[in-house]
Amino acid sequence: MSLAEASALPPEEPSRALVFWRRYRRNKAAVLGLFLLGVIVLLALTAGLYEPVDPLRRAGEPLIWPFQDWATPLGTDQLGRDILAGIFHGARISLMIGVVATLISIAIGVVIGAIAGYFGGWVDDVLMRVTEAFQTVPNFVLLLTLVAILGSSIENIVLAIGIVSWTAPARLARAEFMSLRRREFIEAVRNLGVGDMAIIFKEILPNALPPVVVYASVIMALAILLESALAFLGLGDPNYASWGNMIGQGRSVLRVEWFVAAIPGIAIVLTVLSFSLLGEGLNEALNPRQKKG
Amino acid sequence: MSDVADTPTPILEIENLRVSLPKGADRPYALDGLNLTVNPGEIVCLVGESGSGKSLAAGAVMRLLPEPLVRMSGGSVKFDGQDLSTLTEAQMRGLRGDRMAMIFQEPMTALNPQKTVGWQIDEVLRLHTDMGAKARKARALEMLRDVHIPDPDSAFNAYPHQVSGGQRQRVMIAMALAMSPRLVIADEPTTALDVTTQLQILRLIRELQASQGSGILFITHDFGVVAEIADKVAVLRQGELVEHGPADDVLNRPRHPYTRALIAAVPDLRPPAPRDFSDAPVVLKAEGMLKTFKARGGMFTGKRKAVAAVDHVSFDIRRGETLGVVGESGSGKTTVSRCVTRLLEADGGRAELDGRDILNADARTLRAMRAEIQMVFQDPMASLNPRKRVVDLIAQGPIVHGMNPGKAREKARELLALVELSPAAAERYPHEFSGGQRQRIGIARALAMEPKVIVADEPVSALDVSVQAQVLRLLADLRERLDLSLLFVTHDLRVAAQLCDRVAVMEKGKIVEMGTVAEIFAAPAHPYTRKLLSSIPGRDWVPPVLKDDAA
C-alpha cells in the first residue's frame, strides 16, 4: 500500500488529552492517588464552610479524644483547638506550600538547567559547579539556615523551600536539553533563523517538560514534608494552622494524647502518598516508552 | 524451485504461516498465509518494504515473537522436517545459536558493549558444546580468521566499540556461524554499513555459506542486494506473499504488479540526459573550506588528535543545478552540508551565497541570508518538532522573518498542495504521518522560505524504495519549477545518478573527484571512485524497463 501513500492520510487520532487519560487510567494506584488528591483539594476548598472564623480559636475543652464530642469530631489539642478544623485549614496551607515552592524550584531549576544544557562549555561548567555547591549542603540544614536568616513567615518558608530544592530539576532539565539540542529539528529551526532564547523556551522546553513535570510531584511531596519538619521543630509560621505546626504542638503530649500529633501526621502521609502515586501515573502516561518491555 | 533435486529435506519449510497482531493495529495479521522453503546451500531473499512483516517472519521461525501481543496463530514452521511448535522452550533454546542462528541489522546494539568480542563468541561455544576453555578459544580465533578480521588475536580481546562497524558485523557473523548452523537468518545485515563494506560482507556471507552448506534466509529491502546475493526471492507486501521464484525470474521478469512497481522504483544507474548550466550564474561557491574536530580532552589526558572532517573543499553550484556530494560515512559529506548552512562553524575557507560571504557573516546578516539557503534533513521524524502542528512547522520560518502569521499559515497550506499533501494535513502533528509524508513536510518547510539553494542531507535514505522514488521525483519537479539549486548529500550512488547533474566524491574530508554524472559513472579517474562504483550492490543488474503503470 505504501506505493500509493502520497495523499492518503492516516485516520484522525483521538485527542492528546484522551490518550493521556487512557494511559493514566491503566495504573490503578495512580487513580487512587488522583482520588486522594481530589479529597485533599476538596478539604482545602471547603475549609471556610466547616470553620469560617479561625481554626486557631478555642472550640472546647482541651485534649478531648476523638469521637467523644460531635462539636469537635476529631478532638481538641491542649489549647482546646478543634483538630478537624486544623486538618481542613492545614490542607490549604500544605497545598499552597507544595504548589508555590514547587513552582519556584522548577522555575529556577529549569532556567538554570536549560541554559547549562543548551549552551554547554564554560556556561555549563559554571552553572553546574554552583548547582553542586548547593547539592553538597544537606537540604534541611540549608533550609534551617535560610529560615533563621529570613525569619519564619510563611512567605519566607515557601521561598526557602523553593531555593533548597531546585538542584534536582536543574540537573534533569540539563540532561534533557543536552540530548535535545543536537536533534535535527533543532538544527532545522536554527536554519530558519530562530534565535537561541526562542529555541530554548519554545522549541526544546515543551519536549523537555514531561520528566520535569513528573519530578514536580516528588518536589511537591518533599516541600510539604520540609514544611512539616520545620514546624515540628517550632520554626513554622505560628499564625497558620499548618499540619506541621499541629504535630509540633502535639509533641509535648505525645505519650498520652498521641492523637493530637497522629491525626495531622496521617493527613501528611496521605497527601505525600497521593503526590507520589500521581507522579508515577504521570510518568507512565507521559513517558510511555520507558516502561515497555 | 526444488522439484528437480527433491531428495534433500528442506532446512526450513514455512507453511501457511499466520502471525496475529494485537487489536487496534492497522491490520489483523502481520503475516497471512506465508509459504517459504529454504533448501541446503540456498540463499532465499525475503524482500519487502517497512511494515511488510518480513522481520516478524524471522521472529516466528526463531520463536522470538514479542508474545503474547504478536503471536503465531496458524500454519507451521518445520526445521529440518521437525515442527518447531512441538518443541519446548528449552529445546528451542538448544536449537537457537546451535543449529539456527541469526545475524542482526545493527551489530553495535546486538553485541553486548560490556563484554569483549572473544567472550561473546566463547559464550556461544560454552552454551552449545562441551569443549574446554583452550579448545573454545582456538575455535573462536579460527572463526575470526574465517570472517577475515585483520589481526584476530587483538580483535578477540577488543570490546565492540573498539572495532569498526564492518568488523562488528563480521564478529556477529562469526558468532552466528560458530556452530556451523543449518539455517542462518540474516535480518538486513548490511543496511547499516557503507557500500564498500556491504559488498565485502555480502561476499563473506556467500563464501561461508558455500563452504558450510547452510541455508540462508536473507531479509532485505534493497533490490540491489537481492540481485547480488539471492538464489530465490520472495516478495512480501503487507504480510502477504505476492511473488516468489528464482532470483533471475523475479528480478528480470516480475509478474505481480507490486513487484513490478517496486523494481521500477529502484533508481537506475544510467543517468538521465545531461543538462547544460554553463550560462547560469553561480549561486553557491565554496573555496578551501576547512573544518577540524578536536576531541575535548579530559582534565588529565590533554588534547586528543584533531580530525579534519572537511579538508580544503571547494565547489560551486550554478542556478538550477544539482551537485551531489557522495561518500561513505565519515567522509565529511554531512559536515560540508552543515558548514555551508552555518549550523557548524567552519575553521577556514570561504563560502559565498550569491556573491555574499556566508561563513563570516555576522549574526544579523546571517539571519537574513538563512532564508536563501535551506535544508532538508535525513530523518524526517527527528527533524520535525513533535509538539507542533504541521501548519505551524511550515509557517515558522516566514514568521520569524517578519511575515504576518495569518498570511504565513495561508502560504503554508498552499505549500502542502505543492508537495502533494492533502490540506487536512495542516492541523495534524508529525507523528501521524508516514515517513514519505513527513519528508514532504520537511521539503515544504524549506520551500516556505523561498530559498535559492536547498541543501539536502540524505533526504531519502530513511525511506522505502517506492516512497524514495516519489520524493526524488518531487524534488526533481520542484527544482525545475522553482529554478532551485540543490546540494544533495547522499551515500547512495543510484540516487545520485538519478537526480544530480554533477557529483563530488568525498573521501576522508577531501573531494577526490568531481565531474558530471555521466563522466564519473562512465570513466571514474580516482581509485576510490572506482572502488565505490564497483561496490554498488547489483551493479550488473539493470532493472528491466517495465511498460505498465508504476503506482
Side-chain angles (χ1 to χ4, degrees), chain A residues 2-3 5 8 10 187 203, chain B residues 49 338 396 432 434 437 470:
Chain A
S2 52
L3 277 173
E5 65 144 27
E187 293 205 322
E203 301 287 335
Chain B
E49 296 191 287
R338 296 293 196 274
Q396 186 175 22
E432 297 178 54
S434 68
Q437 290 171 336
Q470 289 170 4

Side-chain angles (χ1 to χ4, degrees), chain B residues 42 61 94 124 157 174 244 255 333 383 385 414 534:
Chain B
E42 200 173 57
V61 173
V124 180
N157 292 315
H244 66 128
R255 291 186 310 274
K333 56 188 192 309
S383 63
N385 190 336
E414 287 167 21
S534 65

Side-chain angles (χ1 to χ4, degrees), chain A residues 45-263:
Chain A
L45 289 176
T46 55
L49 297 177
Y50 178 76
E51 172 54 70
V53 190
D54 180 7
L56 298 180
R57 78 188 164 93
R58 193 181 156 92
E61 291 296 308
L63 297 173
I64 302 174
W65 279 74
F67 316 121
Q68 304 292 318
D69 181 350
W70 290 112
T72 55
L74 291 181
T76 58
D77 67 1
Q78 63 266 55
L79 292 175
R81 293 179 294 205
D82 183 358
I83 291 180
L84 185 60
I87 296 293
F88 267 98
H89 282 266
R92 280 190 179 177
I93 301 299
S94 289
L95 283 182
M96 189 275 285
I97 288 170
V99 171
V100 178
T102 304
L103 285 180
I104 292 173
S105 80
I106 295 279
I108 303 175
V110 163
V111 169
I112 288 183
I115 290 172
Y118 181 77
F119 291 105
W122 66 267
V123 179
D124 183 35
D125 283 341
V126 169
L127 289 175
M128 280 304 109
R129 292 307 86 75
V130 172
T131 311
E132 276 157 19
F134 269 85
Q135 284 183 307
T136 48
V137 185
N139 266 1
F140 197 65
V141 176
L142 185 60
L143 181 64
L144 285 178
T145 318
L146 282 173
V147 172
I149 296 170
L150 296 170
S152 60
S153 76
I154 194 93
E155 295 85 3
N156 290 339
I157 289 173
V158 170
L159 186 68
I161 292 175
I163 288 175
V164 301
S165 46
W166 63 268
T167 51
R171 298 214 83 111
L172 199 60
R174 171 174 175 265
E176 285 294 309
F177 269 72
M178 284 176 87
S179 85
L180 286 167
R181 70 168 170 176
R182 290 276 163 249
R183 294 279 188 84
E184 275 191 344
F185 74 85
I186 298 306
E187 293 205 322
V189 291
R190 274 217 292 150
N191 199 42
L192 294 174
V194 179
D196 283 333
M197 284 302 136
I199 290 182
I200 292 179
F201 292 107
K202 289 194 183 154
E203 301 287 335
I204 305 185
L205 190 57
N207 287 291
L209 270 187
V212 178
V213 168
V214 171
Y215 196 73
S217 63
V218 178
I219 299 181
M220 237 179 251
L222 282 177
I224 292 171
L225 284 176
L226 282 175
E227 191 274 338
S228 313
L230 274 183
F232 183 78
L233 295 178
L235 287 167
D237 190 333
N239 301 319
Y240 291 92
S242 88
W243 294 338
N245 275 345
M246 293 167 73
I247 298 179
Q249 298 285 331
R251 193 177 42 168
S252 51
V253 291
L254 191 61
R255 267 201 278 176
V256 186
E257 281 84 17
W258 50 268
F259 65 90
V260 180
I263 292 170

